[in-house]
Amino acid sequence: ITDAFLVGAGHLGSAILGYENFTKYGVKIIAAFDVDSEKVGTVIHGKEIFPLEKMLDLCSRMHIHIGVITVPAENAQYVADLMVQGGITAIWNFAPVELQVPENTIVENTPFSQSLAVLSHKLKENIKRN
């Protein structure tokens, strides 16, 4: 099992922290980071929320290779840069933005808005046929 860090402990980040089946796929999110002082120091689904400024050091010391980004689009590149600087080589990106990362960094984008648009389009086509 590979340990992972999540950045952005808002609604989406919290939901992802609560999903327990990631270990079936070999990933365990062990901590989360946020800039919101209301969230820092709390525990969400058994995971402590740390201040973002601690992530870089912890990534390096704990040899974390997977990062999950659930921050707003305007903050995603900054978070990705921090992750890469900390040694993360695989990023699961939920922010609706194309990240600029080194060639050896893997990025898996999960664009909810595109997925919803495809679903909506398929529904319209289905309604037209029926």
Side-chain angles (χ1 to χ4, degrees):
I1 290 187
T2 302
D3 290 341
F5 281 169
L6 179 140
V7 177
H11 295 294
L12 178 58
S14 295
I16 290 172
L17 289 174
Y19 185 71
E20 296 178 8
N21 287 331
F22 289 130
T23 54
K24 290 182 181 177
Y25 304 102
V27 176
K28 181 179 181 186
I29 299 174
I30 60 169
F33 300 84
D34 207 289
V35 294
D36 184 347
S37 60
E38 299 276 320
K39 293 183 180 96
V40 171
T42 64
V43 175
I44 299 175
H45 299 292
K47 315 293 191 300
E48 187 170 349
I49 311 304
F50 296 98
L52 181 59
E53 56 268 14
K54 286 194 172 197
M55 186 190 69
L56 190 58
D57 179 54
L58 287 174
C59 273
S60 300
R61 285 194 298 136
M62 298 175 73
H63 305 289
I64 301 296
H65 296 290
I66 296 177
V68 182
I69 296 178
T70 56
V71 300
E74 60 270 16
N75 304 113
Q77 185 63 57
Y78 175 73
V79 170
D81 292 345
L82 280 180
M83 287 180 168
V84 168
Q85 195 178 343
I88 286 177
T89 55
I91 297 173
W92 192 15
N93 177 35
F94 286 87
V97 64
E98 281 294 317
L99 300 173
Q100 304 302 311
V101 297
E103 200 174 289
N104 63 336
T105 302
I106 302 161
V107 176
E108 179 62 32
N109 291 302
T110 306
F112 281 129
S113 57
Q114 288 177 2
S115 185
L116 182 58
V118 169
L119 179 66
S120 176
H121 176 75
K122 287 180 179 179
L123 176 60
K124 286 176 188 172
E125 293 300 312
N126 195 24
I127 290 170
K128 284 180 191 174
R129 282 192 298 261
N130 297 326

